[in-house]
Amino acid sequence: MSVTFDELLDVKGAKCPMPLVKSRKAVNNLGVGQVLKVVATDRGSVADFQGWAKTAKNIELVAQEEGADNGDTVYVHYLRRTK
Amino acid sequence: MTDNCQRLEARVHTPLLQGSNLVTFAVTDKIILAGQPEPEDWVRLAQQGFSLVVNVRSDPQRAAAQADKAHAEGLAYQHLTVPAYELETAHIQAFRDALAAAAEGKVLVHCRTASRVALMWMLHRMVNDGWNQQQAEAELQQAGYSDDDMDVFRYCTEDFLERASMTDLILS
């Protein structure tokens, strides 16, 4: 899947809850409607971002995908700022 | 043996829940921070002196299933849903209230990897107990958290304090 995005946040190696906190900060710097692509290595980030999208008032989880980066599994999340 | 090795040994070789692989960190004699318990851990918790389990993971279905298992073993259970991406003072006060529900016995406070609960415990010490950040960090390091873990907690604490300070400014 290829999703168009406006900003990229690399949080590979970051432990919970750092990917969420850094993503929240990055989303706040987006314009409404823009998309943030987050690349993480924390497996738990998949559920964490789903949980965030359910409770946050200003984001939509557009897509999630799994990939590989230098032998590591990476978890990619696309977040759109909605307000 | 270096300090780092001692901390590693504490984390890997000193299971606080006997017979279990549960990741655990004792911050006090009574409060144990932990990762996700396995299904077979509930009976162990009851047998080994725990009276209360506090879950700060967000999934309500998992929490409901866990509550059933905990209650079946005679354990009290609290599910505290907090946004890890944006902790606020009210969440830390709710954390204190959840811990206050403990009767006699030990309290297991868990998330998925024992990281989020450590951050909450650190903020609890600072917000509710009046500790300074250095004291709160030292307690977690003493419990066995690594330097990498501490970097995460410092970053997230700084974020918390920035937003708390902005809230104070708005309310004042």
Side-chain angles (χ1 to χ4, degrees), chain B residues 60-78:
Chain B
Q61 290 179 322
R62 180 198 304 271
Q66 288 192 172
D68 288 345
K69 289 177 183 169
H71 293 149
E73 299 301 334
L75 297 162
Y77 187 86
Q78 294 261 340

Side-chain angles (χ1 to χ4, degrees), chain B residues 43-62:
Chain B
V43 65
R44 295 186 182 116
L45 289 166
Q47 290 171 343
Q48 294 179 36
F50 286 81
S51 63
L52 170 66
V53 175
V54 178
N55 170 18
V56 304
R57 298 191 69 177
S58 58
D59 185 344
Q61 290 179 322
R62 180 198 304 271

Side-chain angles (χ1 to χ4, degrees), chain B residues 7-28:
Chain B
R7 279 200 292 273
L8 186 63
E9 185 178 59
R11 182 170 188 166
V12 175
H13 298 299
T14 312
L16 296 167
L17 190 65
Q18 291 176 14
S20 170
N21 292 320
L22 183 62
V23 174
T24 49
F25 300 87
V27 284
T28 71

Side-chain angles (χ1 to χ4, degrees), chain A residues 1 6-8 14 21 24 28 36 38 46 50 57 60 64 80:
Chain A
M1 184 198 306
D6 300 284
E7 297 290 339
L8 171 66
V21 173
R24 191 206 78 238
N28 288 342
L36 175 70
V38 183
V46 175
Q50 291 170 0
K57 295 170 183 166
E60 173 193 358
Q64 290 182 301
R80 176 180 288 116

Side-chain angles (χ1 to χ4, degrees), chain B residues 30 49-52 76 98-107:
Chain B
K30 185 171 179 176
F50 286 81
S51 63
L52 170 66
L99 296 176
E104 291 291 314
K106 292 182 282 188
V107 179

Side-chain angles (χ1 to χ4, degrees), chain B residues 94-165:
Chain B
F95 184 70
R96 174 199 59 200
D97 294 344
L99 296 176
E104 291 291 314
K106 292 182 282 188
V107 179
L108 188 90
V109 190
H110 85 86
C111 54
R112 181 173 57 87
T113 63
S115 180
R116 191 176 306 187
V117 286
L119 171 63
M120 293 197 69
W121 180 259
M122 182 167 159
L123 295 176
H124 161 68
R125 285 302 204 189
M126 295 168 65
V127 171
N128 297 326
D129 292 344
W131 289 25
N132 65 37
Q133 186 166 338
Q134 192 176 16
Q135 291 172 309
E137 287 183 14
E139 184 180 44
L140 289 180
Q141 288 180 302
Q142 180 67 31
Y145 282 95
S146 70
D147 291 343
D148 282 350
D149 294 327
M150 298 313 300
D151 286 342
V152 172
F153 306 150
R154 280 188 203 106
Y155 180 91
C156 296
T157 297
E158 185 179 334
D159 172 68
F160 172 87
L161 293 174
E162 276 178 11
R163 286 179 297 102
S165 144

Side-chain angles (χ1 to χ4, degrees), chain A residues 15-16 24-25 42 48 52, chain B residues 85 112 115-116 149 159:
Chain A
K15 296 179 180 179
C16 173
R24 191 206 78 238
K25 288 185 164 190
D42 180 7
D48 285 345
W52 178 25
Chain B
Y85 54 89
R112 181 173 57 87
S115 180
R116 191 176 306 187
D149 294 327
D159 172 68

